[in-house]
């Protein structure tokens, strides 16, 4: 990437205030509460329209040419996790420290706060999208955020990490299911320990669209079976924000 | 549908002026010439933002509950057609009357002017999208437009209609290929002669976003093989306008 380095990202993390978390804003992906109206919804969402570091983006060869990664990342397997359908996505949150995954950027220590999914992918690579995108949302104690994005494309292979998730999908809004075991350690192995990842300074991709989020978009597209993809897509529907302007 | 009938569509066709065709406007699906900026591009595109009959839309059970179809539709096979990559989509146009397909709405006679593709689908059904959407664009001599939308989803089956198209994809902008034969008659059979189709008054889904377009969105999702889908998606990239507000 031309103008964004690991130093910049450390700087951003250090100067960014505590971020507002995704509140219970009544947003959607279609109609009068859809992405172009998010800035007008109740709450402090103006940045959804006026922000200069909004996500997702189209990651192009012109802007991005150097892989980058955090100083360290660890993912361990998770037991007895709850998956919730919040009406926008299906999400596993780190209640009671059940998600043993960490990240370090400079001196800042992050823990995995939650992960969730989008169909189709929110980020594009050279104007091409992928069938699914997972977001692993890490957070410091001060509330700073960093997200790892992982792409999935339909393939002949089933995905082992996704299997217990798809097998336990909460079908309706506010439904939740308990999952015995998620092979979370497999994610890092699948994405080759983030050796082919682009980073940029962005935002939450849902209202309130808070900025100062350090993004790591992995380019090693993972397999997902057709059945797994269809089930995820059917439960979430279209939940992908359009790509945002780039100012760096 | 509650408030839009076949009579309304006939009325719309009769009152609508000759529509502006998609001009050579330098639009895109990302960045500063992306969908939210189409109204600001050179040309008369204000309606892309201010229009009250814009396409695509999310077709919901609340708004749509009655299937409808044109008074007649015919599709015959086509020989020696040219497929062009215009930088936005891949398109087969009816140069030299090589596309023998017709439609009749009331007293208005339409001929197939062109067909092209979008990945992922532009229309949604109850907030769910599909992997591909084909648009069969019909036109009267006076220039009025009516479009049949057909969805495709990845499946184990290859699609016979799409086979010669995918086998002859023009890979780069302005590339074109000649195709010997397209089994165009199969489309109508595939979509069950439009017995499960919703209609609404909409627009072109690309600048200049001209309105007065009678849409017929078929709900019988067609199979496409994974390889066919991947090839189409890779050539076109993300070329789907976000869903528009509904005023009917």
């Amino acid at each position: 990437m031309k103008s964004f380095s690991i130093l910049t990202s450390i700087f951003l993390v250090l100067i960014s205030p505590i971020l507002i978390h995704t509140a219970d804003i009544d947003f959607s992906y279609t109609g009068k509460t859809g992405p172009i109206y998010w800035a007008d919804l109740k709450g402090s969402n103006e940045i959804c329209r006026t922000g200069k570091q909004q996500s997702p983006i189209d990651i192009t060869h012109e802007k991005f040419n150097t892989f980058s990664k955090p100083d360290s990342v660890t993912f361990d397997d998770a037991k007895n996790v709850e998956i919730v359908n919040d009406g926008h996505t299906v999400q596993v949150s780190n209640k009671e420290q059940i998600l043993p995954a960490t990240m370090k950027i400079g001196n800042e220590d992050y823990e995995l706060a939650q992960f969730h999914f989008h169909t189709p992918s929110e980020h594009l690579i050279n104007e091409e999208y992928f069938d699914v995108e997972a977001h692993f949302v890490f957070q410091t104690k001060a509330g700073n955020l960093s997200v790892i994005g992982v792409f999935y494309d339909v393939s002949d292979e089933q995905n082992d990490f996704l299997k217990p998730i798809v097998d336990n999908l909460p079908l309706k809004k506010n439904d939740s299911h308990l999952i015995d075991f998620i092979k979370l350690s497999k994610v890092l192995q699948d994405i080759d320990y983030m050796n082919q990842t682009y980073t940029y300074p962005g935002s939450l991709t849902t209202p309130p669209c808070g900025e100062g989020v350090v993004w790591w978009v992995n380019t090693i597209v993972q397999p997902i079976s057709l059945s797994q993809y269809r089930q995820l897509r059917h439960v979430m529907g279209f939940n992908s924000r359009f790509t945002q302007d780039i100012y760096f």
Side-chain angles (χ1 to χ4, degrees), chain A:
Chain A
M1 199 188 334
K2 276 174 190 154
S3 52
F4 183 63
S5 68
I6 185 69
L7 283 170
T8 319
S9 69
I10 293 166
F11 180 69
L12 269 167
V13 169
L14 295 178
I15 61 159
S16 59
I18 295 171
L19 283 164
I20 302 156
H21 294 272
T22 301
D24 287 331
I25 298 166
D26 190 21
F27 71 95
S28 69
Y29 290 91
T30 60
K32 286 290 189 188
T33 52
I36 59 167
Y37 297 113
W38 287 355
D40 308 319
L41 299 175
K42 249 192 227 174
S44 299
N45 314 308
E46 293 78 12
I47 205 169
C48 296
R49 183 174 295 133
T50 57
K52 305 282 191 216
Q53 290 190 350
Q54 289 291 294
S55 295
I57 60 167
D58 179 23
I59 292 172
T60 62
H61 284 324
E62 289 90 55
K63 281 274 178 193
F64 291 81
N65 47 43
T66 312
F67 292 132
S68 189
K69 60 177 173 179
D71 293 277
S72 78
V73 189
T74 65
F75 275 90
D76 286 317
D77 297 335
K79 286 175 193 167
N80 302 318
V81 307
E82 189 187 38
I83 183 161
V84 178
N85 181 333
D86 69 4
H88 308 300
T89 186
V90 290
Q91 181 166 315
V92 173
S93 297
N94 192 17
K95 287 182 191 164
E96 299 166 16
Q97 303 296 308
I98 41 122
L99 296 181
T102 66
M103 184 193 286
K104 196 164 184 154
I105 308 175
N107 291 321
E108 290 279 312
D109 287 311
Y110 293 75
E111 288 189 355
L112 184 58
Q114 48 108 327
F115 63 87
H116 63 266
F117 300 90
H118 296 269
T119 49
S121 72
E122 297 204 294
H123 287 90
L124 308 183
I125 303 276
N126 296 309
E127 296 182 30
E128 190 168 357
Y129 67 98
F130 304 92
D131 295 325
V132 179
E133 182 172 338
H135 289 164
F136 297 89
V137 182
F138 290 78
Q139 192 168 31
T140 65
K141 284 210 170 75
N144 294 328
L145 297 177
S146 183
V147 186
I148 298 176
V150 179
F151 298 123
Y152 298 84
D153 249 351
V154 170
S155 139
D156 293 335
E157 287 175 62
Q158 198 176 241
N159 189 293
D160 289 346
F161 159 65
L162 294 178
K163 186 176 186 327
I165 293 165
V166 174
D167 288 350
N168 292 283
L169 277 180
L171 301 184
K172 288 179 186 159
K173 185 174 175 174
N174 297 327
D175 279 2
S176 66
H177 284 153
L178 210 61
I179 303 177
D180 291 345
F181 187 81
I182 294 184
K183 208 166 166 45
L184 203 56
S185 63
K186 184 137 194 314
V187 173
L188 198 56
Q189 185 183 325
D190 283 347
I191 59 176
D192 188 28
Y193 306 92
M194 298 186 69
N195 283 318
Q196 297 181 48
T197 304
Y198 293 117
T199 186
Y200 79 95
S203 77
L204 301 174
T205 65
T206 52
C209 311
E211 299 190 337
V213 176
V214 182
W215 275 91
W216 309 93
V217 180
N218 189 271
T219 61
I220 307 176
V221 183
Q222 301 305 309
I224 180 173
S225 76
L226 180 56
S227 164
Q228 289 178 326
Y229 159 63
R230 284 280 189 88
Q231 289 176 76
L232 258 181
R233 188 185 81 178
H234 186 67
V235 164
M236 303 194 301
F238 179 88
N239 69 344
S240 183
R241 187 188 193 191
F242 61 85
T243 51
Q244 304 292 303
D245 293 339
I246 294 175
Y247 294 86
F248 52 81

